[in-house]
Structures are given as C-alpha cells and as structure tokens.
Amino acid sequence: MPSVVNDSCIKCKTCASVCPVDAFHECDTQLVVDPDVCIDCGVCISECPQNAIANDAEAEERFVKFNAEQSKICPGAND
Ligand code: SF4
Ligand code: SF4
C-alpha cells in the first residue's frame, strides 16, 4: 500500500525529509511517491501539513496513476 500525494501538495518537502528510502520525486506542481520504492512506513502521512498524502487504498485513482507515472519522470525530491 504505497503512499500517494494529491494536488493539495504545496511542495514544502517535509515528506521528502522524513522518508527513509527517498521515495519522493519533485514534479512541477507537486511531489509524488514512487510506488516501487515506498516501503509503506506511513511516516510521511502524518507529517504533511496539507493532509495531501494517503495510502493508495484511500487515494483517488487519478492520483495513484499520476504518482506512478510521474515518479518515473520527475527528479528525486532530495537530489
Ligand atoms: S509534506 Fe505534503 S505538502 Fe509538503 S511536499 Fe510533502 S506532500 Fe507536499
Ligand atoms: S510511507 Fe514511508 S517509505 Fe513511503 S513515501 Fe512515505 S515516508 Fe517514504
């Protein structure tokens, strides 16, 4: 159940700073999570000031797809 970011993200990068596996990538309008890297630790979900992160079972399908696709294109948020 990887985490998924929605379009409430304000790109503060708090999530990227706490993720133990560098799963976050920075796109033009928001951060996204690479579902193949996320280990589902859940730490980022409670740290987000926008409540913009949920696990993929609770996230909208359009955001699940957006995160999966864009995480392969956008640079790493900690790069
Ligand atoms: S903590 Fe939330 S608002 Fe901040 S960059 Fe991460 S997803 Fe976006
Ligand atoms: S759930 Fe854990 S591993 Fe997955 S993106 Fe959030 S902090 Fe990183």
Side-chain angles (χ1 to χ4, degrees):
M1 292 295 186
S3 288
V4 172
V5 184
N6 67 37
D7 61 3
S8 297
C9 174
I10 57 171
K11 299 180 71 173
C12 69
K13 293 194 180 183
T14 301
C15 52
S17 72
V18 300
C19 179
V21 293
D22 285 345
F24 285 89
H25 290 254
E26 184 174 1
C27 300
D28 287 346
T29 58
Q30 67 171 85
L31 268 61
V32 294
V33 172
D34 185 338
D36 296 326
V37 174
C38 175
I39 58 171
D40 193 26
C41 72
V43 170
C44 59
I45 294 174
S46 58
E47 293 289 329
C48 176
Q50 293 294 105
N51 288 324
I53 311 173
N55 73 51
D56 70 351
E58 297 173 346
E60 286 184 49
E61 185 60 26
R62 63 189 173 115
F63 293 125
V64 174
K65 288 181 179 174
F66 184 82
N67 279 236
E69 293 170 0
Q70 295 299 311
S71 62
K72 307 303 185 190
I73 300 169
C74 303
N78 292 322
D79 289 354

